[in-house]
Amino acid sequence: DQQVKQNSPSLSVQEGRISILNCDYTNSMFDYFLWYKKYPAEGPTFLISISSIKDKNEDGRFTVFLNKSAKHLSLHIVPSQPGDSAVYFCAASAEGAQKLVFGQGTRLTINP
Amino acid sequence: KAGVTQTPRYLIKTRGQQVTLSCSPISGHRSVSWYQQTPGQGLQFLFEYFSETQRNKGNFPGRFSGRQFSNSRSEMNVSTLELGDSALYLCASSLAGIPNEKLFFGSGTQLSVL
């Protein structure tokens, strides 16, 4: 039972354009959401997070949007840069649960 | 400050063998979590340790076990290896292991079971 789903295994975007990565979840108990970025041969690194009491959080070129009624979140990267090429994982946690539930990941490729 | 260190980076084993993976967390971090990454499945939570106690466990068979030492270093053991155990095993540490706390991941151990 995949509680966090990233339905796009891959995404290709031109440099300078906006990249939009999507994530859906099924567990209504999730109250905190995170995005991690992973380069080959490295561990995932934290990118940005959002609490369920908010619907948007911004950090530089990265913005995460949360739509609780749709159980959907998205990560916007603008403008996209070649260094953004990586696998992006969304993750969720529920209060009291000391574990993260991850999606399958989306491989983002930024083309020059 | 040194990051999370996992050893070894690569392992090749045959079916039926057992394997032990090691993780040294960031200094001062007391929570260590383990995740399994396979293509198409993302990261699957294995277990989490805090102060030498397992606090949470994922849906993996009993062949997967772990422990944490007094210096917060952790080991993960997989017995009677199966082909499906081939994966990247990631260790992550955090200060206290509370849900909203940022996890810091190591580079992982790539296990291949032949």
Side-chain angles (χ1 to χ4, degrees), chain A residues 32 36 38 41 43 97-98 100 104, chain B residues 9 35 37 40 97 99-100 103 106:
Chain A
Y32 197 72
Y36 280 81
K38 186 179 185 301
Q98 281 106 6
L100 290 179
Q104 307 96 311
Chain B
R9 286 298 303 272
Y35 289 81
Q37 185 190 355
N100 297 353
L103 293 182

Side-chain angles (χ1 to χ4, degrees), chain A residues 50-70:
Chain A
I50 188 167
S51 164
S52 61
I53 62 173
K54 293 185 172 183
D55 54 18
K56 177 182 173 182
N57 188 27
E58 220 171 324
D59 183 2
R61 297 185 298 114
F62 303 92
T63 303
V64 57
F65 295 92
L66 176 62
N67 182 333
K68 288 186 291 293
S69 60

Side-chain angles (χ1 to χ4, degrees), chain B residues 80-100:
Chain B
T80 320
L81 283 166
E82 300 177 359
L83 295 178
D85 297 333
S86 294
L88 179 67
Y89 290 87
L90 291 160
C91 162
S93 76
S94 65
L95 276 170
I98 58 177
N100 297 353

Side-chain angles (χ1 to χ4, degrees), chain B residues 21-40:
Chain B
L21 313 181
S22 180
C23 172
S24 293
I26 291 172
S27 177
H29 285 194
R30 296 172 65 192
S31 169
V32 173
S33 302
W34 288 89
Y35 289 81
Q36 180 196 65
Q37 185 190 355
T38 52

